[in-house]
Amino acid sequence: MRKLLLVIVLSLGFGWGGEWWSDPVGGLEEAKKDSKPVMFYFHSEHCPYCLQMETFVFSDEKVSKYMDKFVVISLDIYTPTGRAWARRFNVFGTPTFVFYDPKKDTVISTAFGSKSKEDFINLLIKTCEKANTKKC
């Protein structure tokens, strides 16, 4: 149900206009090609804080402006792929945001928990500054 809501929210045009990847390999290739940092979004289907982020934060126009600077890879931690990547980044709960530089193969920063729109925008801005790429 939550996946359907996320698809509806993002496809209606009042949310983030970028592409969400569920395939980490494809998302990382795209990020390298576009010289963008990656935002791994770790979530789970029964996570109320994830639903809050998806419904009220990701759908905001101001947030989407900053999210366009990232390639977003969305992973459910209860799938085999999500579990493997969560272990790689030591993710212990949801929602967790891991910002990653695919060219340097390094984690830029990690954030856990739901955020207000303003706090999430600030997180994205600070991460872009740390990433120090042309796209940010």
Side-chain angles (χ1 to χ4, degrees), residues 89-133:
F89 294 124
N90 297 316
V91 171
F92 61 89
T94 59
T96 296
F97 307 93
V98 176
F99 298 95
Y100 180 77
D101 182 334
K103 289 194 174 192
K104 296 178 183 173
D105 190 27
T106 59
V107 172
I108 302 165
S109 67
T110 303
F112 171 73
S114 66
K115 312 280 181 222
S116 68
K117 294 173 193 175
E118 296 79 16
D119 288 344
F120 195 67
I121 288 171
N122 287 332
L123 174 64
L124 295 173
I125 291 169
K126 287 178 184 175
T127 300
C128 265
E129 290 170 358
K130 285 182 184 178
N132 197 25
T133 65

Side-chain angles (χ1 to χ4, degrees), residues 21-31 40 73 81 85:
W21 291 82
S22 58
D23 167 29
V25 174
L28 289 168
E29 287 174 8
E30 183 74 14
F40 283 94
I73 300 173
T81 301
W85 284 87

Side-chain angles (χ1 to χ4, degrees), residues 51-82:
L51 183 60
Q52 181 269 332
M53 289 296 298
E54 293 162 11
T55 305
F56 300 108
V57 179
F58 296 156
S59 63
D60 183 78
E61 279 186 50
K62 290 178 186 173
V63 172
S64 70
K65 173 184 160 190
Y66 292 99
M67 286 182 71
D68 282 343
K69 299 176 186 300
F70 296 85
V71 170
V72 178
I73 300 173
S74 176
L75 297 170
D76 185 327
I77 64 168
Y78 292 111
T79 64
T81 301

